Amino acid sequence: QKEVEQDPGPLSVPEGAIVSLNCTYSNSAFQYFMWYRQYSRKGPELLMYTYSSGNKEDGRFTAQVDKSSKYISLFIRDSQPSDSATYLCAMIGYGQNFVFGPGTRLSVLP
Amino acid sequence: EPEVTQTPSHQVTQMGQEVILRCVPISNHLYFYWYRQILGQKVEFLVSFYNNEISEKSEIFDDQFSVERPDGSNFTLKIRSTKLEDSAMYFCASRGEGEKLFFGSGTQLSVL
């Protein structure tokens, strides 16, 4: 089993849709969870950062962590064409290195 | 807002040549990283650097690669003898005391 798994997509949704992006992981030592957005040929941009189970909201974005199920999600409300990008989940535990998911490519169609 | 700066944005080189990719991490950050991404593939870890020494490296980071922090602000990745398969986007990243990792905009390396 891979350490972090993520639906590869691509995922296409109409503008205004709610998007759900998901990652599962196997290492229970992971304590901090991040979502990055990466536009084509650009560096990953930190979108959301969480360290506890539950939800964290920032504008149209909600990050959800369920440590008991080893599952994290990113929800995008009222999706816009500018949200079209690859979304990477990442996680890290104490004294460990960051582990990235392979990314989900999202297209929001006008 | 502070950011990680990488130069050059594009680098074209001949196979067998040495290249140096440069990064200026966020000024108060302590941990520095290099990642690479081959077009259409996932972000791959190369090396992490803390307290003026390598803290971890991947299998990709072989003897052809080296990193250096020559002064208080720059962090460089050197590839001694480039191969065709080194063609990729190289990202520098840094973090402070917390766990938030910030990436630069990358250097696109093309080896001909």
PDB file of all heavy atoms in Angstrom, chain A residues 61-85:
ATOM      1  N   PHE A  61     -12.951  27.384   0.601  1.00  0.00           N
ATOM      2  CA  PHE A  61     -12.251  26.128   0.824  1.00  0.00           C
ATOM      3  C   PHE A  61     -12.491  25.611   2.239  1.00  0.00           C
ATOM      4  O   PHE A  61     -12.453  26.371   3.201  1.00  0.00           O
ATOM      5  CB  PHE A  61     -10.743  26.312   0.599  1.00  0.00           C
ATOM      6  CG  PHE A  61     -10.385  26.737  -0.800  1.00  0.00           C
ATOM      7  CD1 PHE A  61     -10.269  28.079  -1.115  1.00  0.00           C
ATOM      8  CD2 PHE A  61     -10.169  25.799  -1.784  1.00  0.00           C
ATOM      9  CE1 PHE A  61      -9.936  28.475  -2.408  1.00  0.00           C
ATOM     10  CE2 PHE A  61      -9.838  26.171  -3.079  1.00  0.00           C
ATOM     11  CZ  PHE A  61      -9.726  27.518  -3.393  1.00  0.00           C
ATOM     12  N   THR A  62     -12.732  24.296   2.340  1.00  0.00           N
ATOM     13  CA  THR A  62     -12.840  23.626   3.631  1.00  0.00           C
ATOM     14  C   THR A  62     -11.959  22.391   3.614  1.00  0.00           C
ATOM     15  O   THR A  62     -12.080  21.563   2.713  1.00  0.00           O
ATOM     16  CB  THR A  62     -14.291  23.216   3.940  1.00  0.00           C
ATOM     17  OG1 THR A  62     -15.116  24.383   3.980  1.00  0.00           O
ATOM     18  CG2 THR A  62     -14.371  22.491   5.284  1.00  0.00           C
ATOM     19  N   ALA A  63     -11.070  22.312   4.589  1.00  0.00           N
ATOM     20  CA  ALA A  63     -10.240  21.118   4.751  1.00  0.00           C
ATOM     21  C   ALA A  63     -10.820  20.285   5.878  1.00  0.00           C
ATOM     22  O   ALA A  63     -11.191  20.814   6.924  1.00  0.00           O
ATOM     23  CB  ALA A  63      -8.797  21.511   5.055  1.00  0.00           C
ATOM     24  N   GLN A  64     -10.890  18.998   5.630  1.00  0.00           N
ATOM     25  CA  GLN A  64     -11.458  18.076   6.621  1.00  0.00           C
ATOM     26  C   GLN A  64     -10.441  16.979   6.891  1.00  0.00           C
ATOM     27  O   GLN A  64      -9.848  16.428   5.963  1.00  0.00           O
ATOM     28  CB  GLN A  64     -12.748  17.482   6.060  1.00  0.00           C
ATOM     29  CG  GLN A  64     -13.517  16.582   7.012  1.00  0.00           C
ATOM     30  CD  GLN A  64     -14.806  16.114   6.371  1.00  0.00           C
ATOM     31  OE1 GLN A  64     -14.822  15.196   5.554  1.00  0.00           O
ATOM     32  NE2 GLN A  64     -15.901  16.758   6.735  1.00  0.00           N
ATOM     33  N   VAL A  65     -10.247  16.680   8.160  1.00  0.00           N
ATOM     34  CA  VAL A  65      -9.311  15.627   8.559  1.00  0.00           C
ATOM     35  C   VAL A  65     -10.041  14.629   9.450  1.00  0.00           C
ATOM     36  O   VAL A  65     -10.715  15.030  10.401  1.00  0.00           O
ATOM     37  CB  VAL A  65      -8.094  16.209   9.312  1.00  0.00           C
ATOM     38  CG1 VAL A  65      -7.215  15.096   9.851  1.00  0.00           C
ATOM     39  CG2 VAL A  65      -7.290  17.130   8.408  1.00  0.00           C
ATOM     40  N   ASP A  66      -9.888  13.370   9.142  1.00  0.00           N
ATOM     41  CA  ASP A  66     -10.418  12.297   9.989  1.00  0.00           C
ATOM     42  C   ASP A  66      -9.254  11.357  10.287  1.00  0.00           C
ATOM     43  O   ASP A  66      -8.964  10.454   9.505  1.00  0.00           O
ATOM     44  CB  ASP A  66     -11.556  11.572   9.268  1.00  0.00           C
ATOM     45  CG  ASP A  66     -12.191  10.479  10.132  1.00  0.00           C
ATOM     46  OD1 ASP A  66     -11.587  10.090  11.135  1.00  0.00           O
ATOM     47  OD2 ASP A  66     -13.287  10.026   9.789  1.00  0.00           O
ATOM     48  N   LYS A  67      -8.606  11.576  11.415  1.00  0.00           N
ATOM     49  CA  LYS A  67      -7.414  10.780  11.733  1.00  0.00           C
ATOM     50  C   LYS A  67      -7.766   9.331  12.030  1.00  0.00           C
ATOM     51  O   LYS A  67      -6.974   8.433  11.773  1.00  0.00           O
ATOM     52  CB  LYS A  67      -6.669  11.398  12.918  1.00  0.00           C
ATOM     53  CG  LYS A  67      -5.945  12.690  12.569  1.00  0.00           C
ATOM     54  CD  LYS A  67      -5.100  13.169  13.742  1.00  0.00           C
ATOM     55  CE  LYS A  67      -4.341  14.427  13.394  1.00  0.00           C
ATOM     56  NZ  LYS A  67      -3.516  14.915  14.531  1.00  0.00           N
ATOM     57  N   SER A  68      -8.952   9.092  12.552  1.00  0.00           N
ATOM     58  CA  SER A  68      -9.318   7.711  12.879  1.00  0.00           C
ATOM     59  C   SER A  68      -9.465   6.868  11.618  1.00  0.00           C
ATOM     60  O   SER A  68      -9.141   5.682  11.602  1.00  0.00           O
ATOM     61  CB  SER A  68     -10.605   7.675  13.707  1.00  0.00           C
ATOM     62  OG  SER A  68     -11.689   8.220  12.971  1.00  0.00           O
ATOM     63  N   SER A  69      -9.912   7.502  10.534  1.00  0.00           N
ATOM     64  CA  SER A  69     -10.071   6.794   9.259  1.00  0.00           C
ATOM     65  C   SER A  69      -8.884   7.013   8.333  1.00  0.00           C
ATOM     66  O   SER A  69      -8.852   6.456   7.234  1.00  0.00           O
ATOM     67  CB  SER A  69     -11.347   7.251   8.553  1.00  0.00           C
ATOM     68  OG  SER A  69     -12.478   7.000   9.349  1.00  0.00           O
ATOM     69  N   LYS A  70      -7.927   7.857   8.749  1.00  0.00           N
ATOM     70  CA  LYS A  70      -6.755   8.199   7.927  1.00  0.00           C
ATOM     71  C   LYS A  70      -7.216   8.720   6.573  1.00  0.00           C
ATOM     72  O   LYS A  70      -6.830   8.202   5.507  1.00  0.00           O
ATOM     73  CB  LYS A  70      -5.817   6.992   7.781  1.00  0.00           C
ATOM     74  CG  LYS A  70      -5.249   6.476   9.094  1.00  0.00           C
ATOM     75  CD  LYS A  70      -4.162   5.456   8.838  1.00  0.00           C
ATOM     76  CE  LYS A  70      -3.621   4.879  10.122  1.00  0.00           C
ATOM     77  NZ  LYS A  70      -4.584   4.035  10.831  1.00  0.00           N
ATOM     78  N   TYR A  71      -7.977   9.778   6.645  1.00  0.00           N
ATOM     79  CA  TYR A  71      -8.654  10.299   5.447  1.00  0.00           C
ATOM     80  C   TYR A  71      -8.710  11.807   5.571  1.00  0.00           C
ATOM     81  O   TYR A  71      -9.102  12.341   6.607  1.00  0.00           O
ATOM     82  CB  TYR A  71     -10.063   9.707   5.446  1.00  0.00           C
ATOM     83  CG  TYR A  71     -10.891   9.944   4.222  1.00  0.00           C
ATOM     84  CD1 TYR A  71     -10.866   9.032   3.177  1.00  0.00           C
ATOM     85  CD2 TYR A  71     -11.729  11.047   4.133  1.00  0.00           C
ATOM     86  CE1 TYR A  71     -11.663   9.228   2.054  1.00  0.00           C
ATOM     87  CE2 TYR A  71     -12.511  11.255   3.022  1.00  0.00           C
ATOM     88  CZ  TYR A  71     -12.484  10.335   1.982  1.00  0.00           C
ATOM     89  OH  TYR A  71     -13.263  10.526   0.883  1.00  0.00           O
ATOM     90  N   ILE A  72      -8.295  12.512   4.496  1.00  0.00           N
ATOM     91  CA  ILE A  72      -8.439  13.958   4.481  1.00  0.00           C
ATOM     92  C   ILE A  72      -9.139  14.377   3.194  1.00  0.00           C
ATOM     93  O   ILE A  72      -9.033  13.687   2.169  1.00  0.00           O
ATOM     94  CB  ILE A  72      -7.096  14.706   4.647  1.00  0.00           C
ATOM     95  CG1 ILE A  72      -6.201  14.516   3.423  1.00  0.00           C
ATOM     96  CG2 ILE A  72      -6.374  14.246   5.908  1.00  0.00           C
ATOM     97  CD1 ILE A  72      -4.957  15.417   3.447  1.00  0.00           C
ATOM     98  N   SER A  73      -9.835  15.489   3.271  1.00  0.00           N
ATOM     99  CA  SER A  73     -10.581  15.992   2.118  1.00  0.00           C
ATOM    100  C   SER A  73     -10.405  17.497   2.002  1.00  0.00           C
ATOM    101  O   SER A  73     -10.165  18.187   2.997  1.00  0.00           O
ATOM    102  CB  SER A  73     -12.075  15.679   2.259  1.00  0.00           C
ATOM    103  OG  SER A  73     -12.314  14.297   2.287  1.00  0.00           O
ATOM    104  N   LEU A  74     -10.551  17.971   0.778  1.00  0.00           N
ATOM    105  CA  LEU A  74     -10.622  19.403   0.506  1.00  0.00           C
ATOM    106  C   LEU A  74     -11.908  19.633  -0.285  1.00  0.00           C
ATOM    107  O   LEU A  74     -12.128  18.997  -1.319  1.00  0.00           O
ATOM    108  CB  LEU A  74      -9.425  19.879  -0.310  1.00  0.00           C
ATOM    109  CG  LEU A  74      -9.448  21.357  -0.699  1.00  0.00           C
ATOM    110  CD1 LEU A  74      -9.236  22.237   0.539  1.00  0.00           C
ATOM    111  CD2 LEU A  74      -8.395  21.673  -1.757  1.00  0.00           C
ATOM    112  N   PHE A  75     -12.759  20.522   0.224  1.00  0.00           N
ATOM    113  CA  PHE A  75     -13.985  20.887  -0.465  1.00  0.00           C
ATOM    114  C   PHE A  75     -13.836  22.305  -1.018  1.00  0.00           C
ATOM    115  O   PHE A  75     -13.344  23.196  -0.325  1.00  0.00           O
ATOM    116  CB  PHE A  75     -15.186  20.824   0.484  1.00  0.00           C
ATOM    117  CG  PHE A  75     -15.420  19.442   1.041  1.00  0.00           C
ATOM    118  CD1 PHE A  75     -14.944  19.105   2.299  1.00  0.00           C
ATOM    119  CD2 PHE A  75     -16.112  18.485   0.315  1.00  0.00           C
ATOM    120  CE1 PHE A  75     -15.158  17.834   2.818  1.00  0.00           C
ATOM    121  CE2 PHE A  75     -16.330  17.216   0.828  1.00  0.00           C
ATOM    122  CZ  PHE A  75     -15.848  16.892   2.079  1.00  0.00           C
ATOM    123  N   ILE A  76     -14.254  22.464  -2.245  1.00  0.00           N
ATOM    124  CA  ILE A  76     -14.264  23.786  -2.874  1.00  0.00           C
ATOM    125  C   ILE A  76     -15.718  24.111  -3.213  1.00  0.00           C
ATOM    126  O   ILE A  76     -16.363  23.382  -3.987  1.00  0.00           O
ATOM    127  CB  ILE A  76     -13.413  23.832  -4.159  1.00  0.00           C
ATOM    128  CG1 ILE A  76     -11.998  23.313  -3.882  1.00  0.00           C
ATOM    129  CG2 ILE A  76     -13.366  25.262  -4.701  1.00  0.00           C
ATOM    130  CD1 ILE A  76     -11.134  23.191  -5.145  1.00  0.00           C
ATOM    131  N   ARG A  77     -16.225  25.184  -2.602  1.00  0.00           N
ATOM    132  CA  ARG A  77     -17.603  25.608  -2.891  1.00  0.00           C
ATOM    133  C   ARG A  77     -17.606  26.608  -4.027  1.00  0.00           C
ATOM    134  O   ARG A  77     -16.616  27.336  -4.221  1.00  0.00           O
ATOM    135  CB  ARG A  77     -18.217  26.247  -1.649  1.00  0.00           C
ATOM    136  CG  ARG A  77     -18.569  25.293  -0.547  1.00  0.00           C
ATOM    137  CD  ARG A  77     -19.272  26.050   0.593  1.00  0.00           C
ATOM    138  NE  ARG A  77     -18.412  27.093   1.144  1.00  0.00           N
ATOM    139  CZ  ARG A  77     -17.425  26.865   1.987  1.00  0.00           C
ATOM    140  NH1 ARG A  77     -17.160  25.632   2.370  1.00  0.00           N
ATOM    141  NH2 ARG A  77     -16.699  27.866   2.456  1.00  0.00           N
ATOM    142  N   ASP A  78     -18.711  26.668  -4.757  1.00  0.00           N
ATOM    143  CA  ASP A  78     -18.862  27.655  -5.829  1.00  0.00           C
ATOM    144  C   ASP A  78     -17.606  27.686  -6.697  1.00  0.00           C
ATOM    145  O   ASP A  78     -16.951  28.730  -6.866  1.00  0.00           O
ATOM    146  CB  ASP A  78     -19.139  29.039  -5.235  1.00  0.00           C
ATOM    147  CG  ASP A  78     -19.477  30.076  -6.289  1.00  0.00           C
ATOM    148  OD1 ASP A  78     -19.964  29.689  -7.370  1.00  0.00           O
ATOM    149  OD2 ASP A  78     -19.222  31.271  -6.039  1.00  0.00           O
ATOM    150  N   SER A  79     -17.244  26.546  -7.235  1.00  0.00           N
ATOM    151  CA  SER A  79     -15.983  26.437  -7.984  1.00  0.00           C
ATOM    152  C   SER A  79     -15.968  27.386  -9.184  1.00  0.00           C
ATOM    153  O   SER A  79     -16.998  27.642  -9.817  1.00  0.00           O
ATOM    154  CB  SER A  79     -15.753  24.995  -8.416  1.00  0.00           C
ATOM    155  OG  SER A  79     -16.848  24.517  -9.167  1.00  0.00           O
ATOM    156  N   GLN A  80     -14.773  27.915  -9.443  1.00  0.00           N
ATOM    157  CA  GLN A  80     -14.550  28.884 -10.510  1.00  0.00           C
ATOM    158  C   GLN A  80     -13.560  28.321 -11.531  1.00  0.00           C
ATOM    159  O   GLN A  80     -12.717  27.490 -11.178  1.00  0.00           O
ATOM    160  CB  GLN A  80     -13.989  30.183  -9.919  1.00  0.00           C
ATOM    161  CG  GLN A  80     -14.880  30.814  -8.856  1.00  0.00           C
ATOM    162  CD  GLN A  80     -16.197  31.268  -9.422  1.00  0.00           C
ATOM    163  OE1 GLN A  80     -16.228  32.000 -10.409  1.00  0.00           O
ATOM    164  NE2 GLN A  80     -17.291  30.833  -8.807  1.00  0.00           N
ATOM    165  N   PRO A  81     -13.608  28.788 -12.767  1.00  0.00           N
ATOM    166  CA  PRO A  81     -12.593  28.343 -13.742  1.00  0.00           C
ATOM    167  C   PRO A  81     -11.159  28.568 -13.254  1.00  0.00           C
ATOM    168  O   PRO A  81     -10.273  27.781 -13.577  1.00  0.00           O
ATOM    169  CB  PRO A  81     -12.913  29.194 -14.977  1.00  0.00           C
ATOM    170  CG  PRO A  81     -14.387  29.433 -14.885  1.00  0.00           C
ATOM    171  CD  PRO A  81     -14.667  29.606 -13.405  1.00  0.00           C
ATOM    172  N   SER A  82     -10.971  29.597 -12.436  1.00  0.00           N
ATOM    173  CA  SER A  82      -9.625  29.864 -11.909  1.00  0.00           C
ATOM    174  C   SER A  82      -9.178  28.818 -10.896  1.00  0.00           C
ATOM    175  O   SER A  82      -7.998  28.774 -10.521  1.00  0.00           O
ATOM    176  CB  SER A  82      -9.574  31.256 -11.261  1.00  0.00           C
ATOM    177  OG  SER A  82     -10.544  31.337 -10.214  1.00  0.00           O
ATOM    178  N   ASP A  83     -10.094  27.960 -10.454  1.00  0.00           N
ATOM    179  CA  ASP A  83      -9.719  26.857  -9.564  1.00  0.00           C
ATOM    180  C   ASP A  83      -9.129  25.683 -10.341  1.00  0.00           C
ATOM    181  O   ASP A  83      -8.646  24.714  -9.740  1.00  0.00           O
ATOM    182  CB  ASP A  83     -10.938  26.363  -8.776  1.00  0.00           C
ATOM    183  CG  ASP A  83     -11.499  27.395  -7.822  1.00  0.00           C
ATOM    184  OD1 ASP A  83     -10.699  28.194  -7.263  1.00  0.00           O
ATOM    185  OD2 ASP A  83     -12.732  27.416  -7.626  1.00  0.00           O
ATOM    186  N   SER A  84      -9.169  25.739 -11.647  1.00  0.00           N
ATOM    187  CA  SER A  84      -8.622  24.655 -12.474  1.00  0.00           C
ATOM    188  C   SER A  84      -7.123  24.551 -12.244  1.00  0.00           C
ATOM    189  O   SER A  84      -6.369  25.497 -12.533  1.00  0.00           O
ATOM    190  CB  SER A  84      -8.914  24.918 -13.957  1.00  0.00           C
ATOM    191  OG  SER A  84     -10.304  24.935 -14.201  1.00  0.00           O
ATOM    192  N   ALA A  85      -6.697  23.435 -11.717  1.00  0.00           N
ATOM    193  CA  ALA A  85      -5.305  23.236 -11.320  1.00  0.00           C
ATOM    194  C   ALA A  85      -5.165  21.790 -10.851  1.00  0.00           C
ATOM    195  O   ALA A  85      -6.136  21.038 -10.820  1.00  0.00           O
ATOM    196  CB  ALA A  85      -4.925  24.191 -10.187  1.00  0.00           C
TER     197      ALA A  85
END
